[in-house]
Structure formats: structure tokens, C-alpha cells
Amino acid sequence: MNHVAPLILVFPLVGFLLVLLNGRSLSNRFVGALATGVVALSFVASVVALVLLLHDRAREVNVQLFTWISVDTLHVPVALLVDPLSVTMCLFVTGISALIHLYSTAYMKGETDFRKFFLYLNLFVFSMLTLVLANNLVLTFVGWEGVGVCSYWLVSFYFDREAAASAGKKAFIYNRVGDVGLLVAMFLIFTHTHTLTYQGIFSSTSLLSPTVATLIVLALLLAATGKSAQIPLFNWLPDAMEGPTPVSALIHAATMVTAGVYLLVRMSPVLALSSSGRMSIAVIGGVTAFVAATIACAQKDIKKVLAFSTVSQIGYMVLAVGVGAYGAAIFLMVSHAFFKALLFLGSGSVIHSLGGEQDMRKMGGLAKWLPLTFPTFLIGWLTISGVPPFAGFWSKGDVLTNVFAHDKVLWALGVVTAILTAYYMSRLFVLTFRGSERFREVTHQHDPHESSLVMTIPLLVLATLSVLGGLLDLPWAHGFSLTDFLDPTFGFVAATPTQSTVLQTGLAIVDVAAALVGLAAAFTIWRHRVESPRFEPAFLEHVWYWDDAYDAVLARPLERAARVSNDVVEDRVIDGAVEGLGGSMRRSGEGMRKLQSGMVRQYAVAMVLGVTIIVIYLVGRVR
């Protein structure tokens, strides 16, 4: 393990460095192959690490590389923690990323900054792997910031477009707000435990009082809301669609937004100390899932529908974390990686075939033109909608079953969200692939065409994973359960009341009914229409006016305060004080200058008078 685990990180880093140092001398084709190959090798190393871990009784291996910081009681090594959670994360991060890299070699063909794009992608993967493999919070924070800066570069990849440049800045700033939460959590933890390694923290949880534990959990929640796009910091993610479609797939499926959920799951022993903190997490996740689903129902851009879908699905994961169902959260994370990568890459194939068009109102009837994209996208649509036997049915059902055992209100909210999910995804599917060929009403140079094999092969692989992904957590099917594999990693798993077979069957029927209701509603409403203000209210289309509220409450008052600071504080107070001091010095200098006449006789008289006064004073004191 000591030799294998570092390779998971080394391969993407080597790809990044080779392109960085030799990019200009390498052809685009070679750069694409190199960047894809190193991530694929990282996946192979992850598989080997899994095999070695399964043969290790401890199921937890620390790989010490070198000491990084050693100051007084603060000791931070560069070390890797290889356990079921980190290996699971590495497997789907590297596997999905390799497919996205392969897809990108064709999708980005002809781009001026082709090499720079793959340079960023390799660094992105390296940063995410650093985040999940680190054995301490400081090294995790390095990866955390790495994915943040890479997302900024990739979201604003087309920086000459104002919308892309603004979206990159928005993502960067929102994530910095979340970063404050992680830093505060680290400060609190170190103050009370004097360590930042995960194993050290977990063995010292007795040193954390309930109040301190709650503060730490809430700080971690703030960090997660920024990185995983949850309320109140969720609205940067839809704007991030300004980046190339493969970037959207990478951010939503394999990196970035899963980091917040990972952090919460990793810190489960600390979450165990605060029931109120866990409830806050559950409420944020449930409300975010519902709000994002309602917004997706009114979006007209195909990528924005998928973006809000991601916010909603991550909300399910956060909800699962809040009720202590950590295995269910990771199961949904893995299956979500399969079908969300499939949906984003499928939408990229659609956009590519229509010359860059993203408005679903200008699509329609694409099923016959895209013979490979259409069936794979159909599988992705059914999977996210929760239709059995696809992976989404099992993973989302696992979350809802666990939520039902702990909070019936949040479960009901989750079921309503499931109906909305099936509805907005069916709306997307109908407007894109069914109905009249509305793209003919828009000027295009050619008819839609299927993408190349380099782009469709990843779709086929992801479609297969979306169909079979549910088997990861079905022990009755093959004797293996992802949850059982992961549970020893967690310091706390909320006790779930024993549920009868009848109840479990009933909950599964509710899940299926929710999916069918959403599908039926969408097909009924959108089969013969393209847009409808009744079903696409401006309130939802404009994201519950969330950005407008931030603009009114934060941006404009701060702008006015900045103007007052510039016009009054800066000009009149600060500059006035400086200029006033300078003026008084100038005036005193002018006054003193009158004493300097340049005439020796006057200086002599002054000296005599001065000496006389001194002598008289001294004589007077003697008497």
C-alpha cells in the first residue's frame, strides 16, 4: 500500500507537470492522450489499492510521506489515509474523470487553448484526490483550495465572454465564504484537541464540549454549503455552466460539489456529538433539494436544468448525512456520479450537434438524429427519475428509507422533491428529443449529427454503470454491500429502527409512484407545448429571486458604503487629515523661516540676549 497509494496522486500530477513544462512542444492529440492516460492509470492504482485494502484486516492504512509543518504542538505531515471511504472516493473520481477526459479530447478539438484546458483538468483531479486521501485537515484544505482555484479557471475558461468571467468570479467568491467555515472549524478543533489529523481528532472527541462540538459542526456545514452548493450559497453553481460542458460534468459528477458531502461524512465522529448540528444539516439538505428542484422546473437552458438537478441531488446526500445515513449518502454520491456524468456529457453531445445551442425551446425531435446519444440519455433520465431497476431508484430509495425512520416531515419533503425531479427531467427529455424539430426554425449550417465514437463511448460506459450501479449496495444480489464496506469508517451511524418487510415494500412503492407521477405530469403538459408561463413562473425561472435578494441586501448597501468611504472617508477624512497635517507643517515652516534672516548682526544680538537671559536666571537661582 505504501507504494500504491502515492501513485494515485502522482499520475495526474505528472500529467499536469509534463503539459505545463512541455505543452508548446506537444501536439494537441498527444496532450489529450497524455492527460487521459494518467487519470486512467490513477484509476488502475485505485483499484489495486482497493484489492490491497480488502486483504488488510485493519481496513485503515496511513502512508507517511514527509513532515510538512512542525511548530510547537502543531505537527502536520504530508500523509495519506487509505480506508474504505477514501478508496471509494478515489475509484469513482478517477474512473469518471478518465471518461470525461476521453470525451473532452473530441469535444474540445479545435479550441485555441486546448492544452491549457487539459492542464487544468489534470490539476483539478490531482487536487480532488489530495482532498480525499489526506489524513489531516490541513492537507485536505490544500486540496479543497486546489479544486476551488481550478473551478475558477475552468468556469471562466472562455474569459473573453463577460458572462463566463463573471461566473468564474462568482464561484470563487462564494466558495471563499464557505472556506471561512472550514478554517473556523480547524481553529476550534486544534484549540481543544491540539491535533488536526483525523485519527487524532477522533480519538480526542471527549475533549469537545457539546457547545464547541455544535459550533464545529455548524462551521463544517457552512464549508459544505459553499463547496457543495447548498442554501444559502447554492446559486454559484448554475452560473458555472458558462464553462465547457466537460467541465460541468467534472464539477458536478466527480469533483468539487461532492467535496462538501465528503467532508461531513469524514467528520462523522464529531457530528455524533451534536444532535442539533445534525438536524441543521438535515434541514439544509432537505430544503435545498426541494428548492433547487422547483427552480429546475422552469429553466430553459438544458445545462441549467442539470445544474439545479445537481444542487437538488446533493441536497439529498446532505439530508442523508443529517440523519446519520452516511453509507446511503455515499451510495447516492457514487450512483449520482454515473448518471449525472452521463446526462451532462449527453447534453454536450446534443449541444455539439446543434452548433452550440442550449435553449431547449429550439431543440426537439432529436431522437432520430442522435441514435447513440438518445438511448444513453434516456437511461440517464430514467435513472435520475428513480425508475427501477436503475441505480437512482436504489440509491435515492436508500436515502428516503433512512430519512423516514428519523423524520417524517423531511421524508415527505424528499418524496415531493422526487416527484419534481421526475417531472423536470421528463420535461427536459420531451423538449429535447421528442416533438417537432424546432431546431429547423433556427439557422443552422447542417442537420444535427451524432458525435464521434470518442464522445459516445463514454456515454455507453456511463449508461451501463447507471443501469448496474444499484448492485453496489444490494447484498441479496451478490453478497456485497457498499454500506457494510463503508460503515466501519464512520465513528457514528444513527440507529435506524427495524423496519418490517411490508414497510420497506410500501416505501419502495411510494418511490416508484413518485417517479411515475412526475413522468406522467411532464408528458401530459409538455407533449404539445414548448413553453408556458403557467408552469414556468418567473419566480422560479429567476431562482426564487435569490440573486436579486443578495443584490438588494448585500451588494447595493456595500456598494453605497464603498462610495461613501471613497467620497467622504477617503477624500475628506483621510486625505483631509493628511493634507491638513502637511499644511500645518508648511505654515509652521514659513513662520520659522522668518527667524532665518541671513544677517550675522541679528544672530549675534540674539545670542547675546540669550546668554544674558541665561546668566540672569542662573544668578537668580544662586541667591
Side-chain angles (χ1 to χ4, degrees):
M1 186 69 74
N2 290 340
H3 300 293
V4 174
L7 292 178
I8 301 174
L9 284 173
V10 166
F11 285 127
L13 180 61
V14 168
F16 165 76
L17 293 175
L18 287 176
V19 177
L20 177 66
L21 299 175
N22 304 290
R24 293 184 179 180
S25 62
L26 302 176
S27 67
N28 285 357
R29 184 174 182 179
F30 183 83
V31 168
L34 172 65
T36 303
V38 293
V39 178
L41 288 173
S42 185
F43 173 72
V44 172
S46 300
V47 173
V48 174
L50 172 64
V51 173
L52 294 175
L53 190 67
L54 290 173
H55 289 82
D56 191 307
R57 290 185 179 181
R59 294 288 175 89
E60 188 176 73
V61 179
N62 273 287
V63 180
Q64 298 286 334
L65 299 179
F66 57 88
T67 299
W68 178 21
I69 301 173
S70 183
V71 180
D72 196 18
T73 59
L74 176 61
H75 302 285
V76 180
V78 173
L80 311 180
L81 175 60
V82 184
D83 64 0
L85 178 58
S86 61
V87 166
T88 300
M89 296 292 296
C90 287
L91 284 169
F92 85 80
V93 167
T94 55
I96 300 299
S97 296
L99 293 173
I100 293 172
H101 274 70
L102 177 61
Y103 178 97
S104 301
T105 58
Y107 189 90
M108 299 299 290
K109 187 177 182 180
E111 290 284 349
T112 304
D113 292 324
F114 183 92
R115 298 182 184 90
K116 185 189 295 184
F117 180 81
F118 281 95
L119 180 80
Y120 293 158
L121 285 193
N122 272 183
L123 184 59
F124 206 164
V125 175
F126 168 76
S127 299
M128 186 65 187
L129 293 173
T130 300
L131 190 158
V132 301
L133 279 171
N135 90 327
N136 60 80
L137 278 169
V138 178
L139 194 57
T140 292
F141 188 73
V142 172
W144 186 273
E145 292 303 296
V147 295
V149 72
C150 288
S151 68
Y152 167 71
W153 287 330
L154 288 167
V155 168
S156 55
F157 184 75
Y158 300 118
F159 58 86
D160 53 341
R161 303 176 187 172
E162 184 177 352
S166 297
K169 289 184 286 186
K170 185 174 182 179
F172 191 82
I173 293 171
Y174 271 62
N175 275 271
R176 298 297 73 74
V177 175
D179 291 351
V180 173
L182 182 51
L183 288 171
V184 169
M186 291 168 63
F187 295 152
L188 287 172
I189 289 170
F190 184 76
T191 300
H192 292 83
T193 66
H194 304 293
T195 181
L196 288 172
T197 62
Y198 290 119
Q199 292 168 323
I201 294 168
F202 301 156
S203 63
S204 305
T205 53
S206 60
L207 300 175
L208 301 175
S209 67
T211 300
V212 172
T214 298
L215 290 174
I216 292 172
V217 172
L218 294 178
L220 293 172
L221 175 58
L222 175 60
T225 59
K227 196 66 70 179
S228 291
Q230 299 292 284
I231 289 174
L233 301 175
F234 74 100
N235 43 329
W236 67 266
L237 191 57
D239 288 0
M241 297 304 97
E242 293 294 335
T245 300
V247 172
S248 303
L250 193 62
I251 289 176
H252 289 248
T255 61
M256 192 67 174
V257 296
T258 61
V261 179
Y262 166 79
L263 177 67
L264 293 176
V265 171
R266 174 58 78 188
M267 297 297 290
S268 57
V270 177
L271 269 58
L273 304 176
S274 174
S275 58
S276 58
R278 294 197 309 276
M279 178 52 67
S280 299
I281 293 173
V283 170
I284 289 293
V287 172
T288 302
F290 171 75
V291 169
T294 61
I295 296 170
C297 294
Q299 300 304 304
K300 297 177 175 62
D301 185 315
I302 186 172
K303 287 176 63 177
K304 285 201 172 182
V305 174
L306 296 178
F308 282 109
S309 168
T310 297
V311 176
S312 182
Q313 296 298 306
I314 296 292
Y316 271 118
M317 299 174 207
V318 174
L319 173 59
V321 171
V323 300
Y326 304 115
I330 298 300
F331 180 31
L332 179 56
M333 183 188 294
V334 174
S335 64
H336 176 262
F338 298 155
F339 62 72
K340 187 50 60 71
L342 172 60
L343 290 169
F344 263 113
L345 297 186
S347 70
S349 182
V350 169
I351 295 167
H352 191 263
S353 71
L354 294 176
E357 184 59 66
Q358 296 183 195
D359 191 333
M360 295 183 295
R361 296 171 297 177
K362 301 175 183 178
M363 297 180 182
L366 290 173
K368 72 175 185 179
W369 296 97
L370 306 176
L372 285 176
T373 300
F374 168 67
T376 55
F377 200 97
L378 182 146
I379 290 173
W381 158 55
L382 294 175
T383 304
I384 192 175
S385 297
V387 175
F390 303 102
F393 168 75
W394 304 106
S395 58
K396 191 183 298 181
D398 193 9
V399 170
L400 291 175
T401 299
N402 279 277
V403 174
F404 180 85
H406 292 88
D407 193 295
K408 303 300 186 292
V409 174
L410 289 176
W411 171 79
L413 187 63
V415 171
V416 173
T417 303
I419 295 173
L420 292 173
T421 301
Y423 168 79
Y424 68 69
M425 286 306 302
S426 300
R427 169 178 172 267
L428 181 152
F429 182 80
V430 171
L431 291 179
T432 303
F433 292 100
R434 313 303 298 180
S436 61
E437 298 178 348
R438 297 181 302 280
F439 57 83
R440 296 196 180 281
E441 301 171 9
V442 184
T443 302
H444 290 294
Q445 296 180 352
H446 51 72
D447 286 333
H449 59 88
E450 185 57 275
S451 302
S452 65
L453 280 177
V454 175
M455 291 175 62
T456 52
I457 286 176
L459 298 181
L460 295 171
V461 174
L462 291 167
T464 303
L465 293 172
S466 297
V467 173
L468 303 177
L471 295 175
L472 287 172
D473 205 44
L474 299 179
W476 50 265
H478 50 73
F480 175 81
S481 168
L482 178 63
T483 300
D484 291 341
F485 175 64
L486 290 169
D487 276 350
T489 304
F490 311 132
F492 164 78
V493 178
T496 301
T498 303
Q499 297 173 335
S500 66
T501 304
V502 174
L503 178 58
Q504 291 182 1
T505 303
L507 292 174
I509 291 173
V510 171
D511 295 340
V512 175
L516 295 179
V517 168
L519 266 66
F523 272 86
T524 301
I525 295 171
W526 297 103
R527 184 171 52 183
H528 299 301
R529 71 178 77 194
V530 177
E531 55 184 332
S532 171
R534 179 182 177 186
F535 298 105
E536 300 173 321
F539 175 69
L540 298 182
E541 187 176 356
H542 290 86
V543 194
W544 284 44
Y545 295 109
W546 210 282
D547 283 321
D548 301 85
Y550 279 167
D551 185 59
V553 175
L554 294 175
R556 293 188 181 278
L558 288 175
E559 183 182 6
R560 286 194 292 270
R563 291 187 182 280
V564 170
S565 297
N566 181 70
D567 298 339
V568 178
V569 178
E570 177 73 20
D571 285 353
R572 300 179 185 178
V573 178
I574 297 177
D575 287 353
V578 173
E579 291 176 359
L581 180 62
S584 63
M585 292 295 101
R586 184 178 63 252
R587 288 190 294 272
S588 63
E590 290 174 350
M592 294 294 293
R593 187 173 60 185
K594 295 178 181 179
L595 300 177
Q596 301 294 326
S597 63
M599 299 182 67
V600 176
R601 288 176 297 176
Q602 292 181 358
Y603 296 162
V605 172
M607 290 176 62
V608 170
L609 289 175
V611 170
T612 302
I613 293 172
I614 293 172
V615 169
I616 294 172
Y617 172 73
L618 293 175
V619 171
R621 290 195 61 181
V622 171
R623 290 181 180 180

